[in-house]
Amino acid sequence: MKLLRTAFVALALGLPAVPANAGEAVNLILNWTPTADHSPYYYAKAQGWYEKAGIDLTIETGKGSGVSAAKVGSGGSPFGVADLATMLVAKSKGADTVAVMSVYANTGQTFYWLKSYGVNSAKDFAGHKIGNPPGDASRVMWPAFAKAAGLAPDSVSFVNIGPTAKIAALKSHTVDIISDFYNEHDLKVIEFGPDLGYVNWKEIGLNPYGNSLIVNGAYLQKNPKVVEDFVRITQRAFAACVADATPCLKALLDQVSGLDKENQERQWERIKFLMTDEFTTTKSLGWIDGERMKKDYELVQTYLGMEKPFDVTTAFTTRMLDPSIKMDASKVKR
């Protein structure tokens, strides 16, 4: 009788008779501080898409792909965003990680310098200082770049520079070269004009998968439905942001202070280019190709070595992706 009375009172007040079950608490650790390439997560959260699927999402600011891969690999966070080559390195060291969706089908890794500092190409890097954070993917993968560019790995020195201080460090000549993602390209063009020099890793024959959504392997085995829901909602969000970036960037700017709207808009145009390849446009947005993953594994193994070699097919899956959601190449400006 007491339960019926409680239910009647709740109904009269327009409240649920039984308390709603809390959603699955899910943490997503980003690779860096939030910018345009993270806006789809904020947009989907603002729209209530994760919540409707029973996912109570917390988005955590990251400190580098190495950090996010390690945290996901140890079970400290079920989901993360990390550069895939960096994730493979972590996996060889015992990190329990699985990539479930690519974001950058093309590498965003780019080195920038000022020609007035005596650098005109990657061949001139020797003897110069490169600024980036310790966990930066380009520092982790530096031996691969050095070998491809014909440099000795120890021919440069690294200076610890925070992700938001790179341009200032280059401008003040604290460092001679910085690493950054291609989506930040326009900021440097505006700041330095014709004195700016740069090389994207793809130009020297290195095009590993870039930032991707990764999941803890044990969590995936235990919660396959949660992972599938999370991946498909994220796919849907990225597709929506490709179609119209305005509400997505608004969701980001509403939650993250200190970002310039126009800069984030420029970034998103670059990001769409990085998201586009023959697989994301035909198979599924976020598709990870098995042959490319084999090449990425060989790249890491050749240049960095694998502490404990593993079957690369265990490092990724496309089973969680919705094949009906594809990258719309018509939205990409060349």
Side-chain angles (χ1 to χ4, degrees), residues 109-173:
Q109 294 294 343
T110 308
F111 282 118
Y112 292 91
W113 60 85
L114 298 186
K115 298 170 189 175
S116 56
Y117 292 170
V119 179
N120 292 294
S121 71
K123 293 180 180 179
D124 299 324
F125 280 16
H128 289 281
K129 296 180 289 186
I130 299 178
N132 52 23
D136 193 275
S138 64
R139 191 183 293 198
V140 175
M141 290 296 292
W142 165 252
F145 181 93
K147 188 166 185 177
L151 298 166
D154 61 355
S155 64
V156 304
S157 57
F158 287 96
V159 177
N160 293 339
I161 300 292
T164 60
K166 291 179 180 179
I167 288 179
L170 187 60
K171 189 174 183 178
S172 66
H173 209 168

Side-chain angles (χ1 to χ4, degrees), residues 209-238:
Y209 277 112
N211 290 348
S212 301
L213 181 64
I214 65 174
V215 65
N216 176 266
Y219 185 89
L220 172 60
Q221 287 188 342
K222 186 178 179 180
N223 305 280
K225 184 63 169 62
V226 175
V227 175
E228 181 180 83
D229 287 343
F230 190 91
V231 170
R232 295 191 172 201
I233 290 167
T234 301
Q235 265 188 293
R236 178 185 169 195
F238 270 90

Side-chain angles (χ1 to χ4, degrees), residues 36-70:
D37 57 336
H38 305 118
S39 62
Y41 306 107
Y42 287 91
Y43 175 68
K45 183 175 180 178
Q47 293 296 109
W49 292 353
Y50 293 117
E51 184 180 6
K52 290 173 185 175
I55 296 171
D56 180 14
L57 178 64
T58 297
I59 301 175
E60 178 185 352
T61 296
K63 296 181 179 179
S65 289
V67 174
S68 57

Side-chain angles (χ1 to χ4, degrees), residues 91 104 283 287:
K91 193 171 182 68
Y104 291 171
K283 293 278 192 180
W287 188 264

Side-chain angles (χ1 to χ4, degrees), residues 31-41 65 81-85 101-110 137 180-185 200 202 207-213 238 264 266-277 280 285-289 292-293 296 327:
N31 55 314
W32 283 127
T33 53
T35 51
D37 57 336
H38 305 118
S39 62
Y41 306 107
S65 289
V81 177
D83 174 81
L84 263 194
M101 174 184 168
S102 73
V103 177
Y104 291 171
N106 299 294
T107 182
Q109 294 294 343
T110 308
D180 214 345
F181 286 123
Y182 179 69
N183 52 286
E184 292 270 13
H185 183 80
N200 180 271
K202 188 176 180 179
N207 191 28
Y209 277 112
N211 290 348
S212 301
L213 181 64
F238 270 90
Q264 297 308 308
R266 289 189 293 263
Q267 278 199 40
W268 185 250
E269 290 302 318
R270 302 284 182 178
I271 291 161
K272 289 190 293 185
F273 173 78
L274 294 174
M275 289 171 60
T276 308
D277 76 352
T280 61
L285 190 155
W287 188 264
I288 302 172
D289 178 61
R292 278 194 64 185
M293 282 297 288
D296 285 4
M327 178 63 196

Side-chain angles (χ1 to χ4, degrees), residues 290-300:
E291 288 304 311
R292 278 194 64 185
M293 282 297 288
K294 288 180 183 178
K295 291 179 181 178
D296 285 4
Y297 181 91
E298 291 168 3
L299 176 74
V300 173

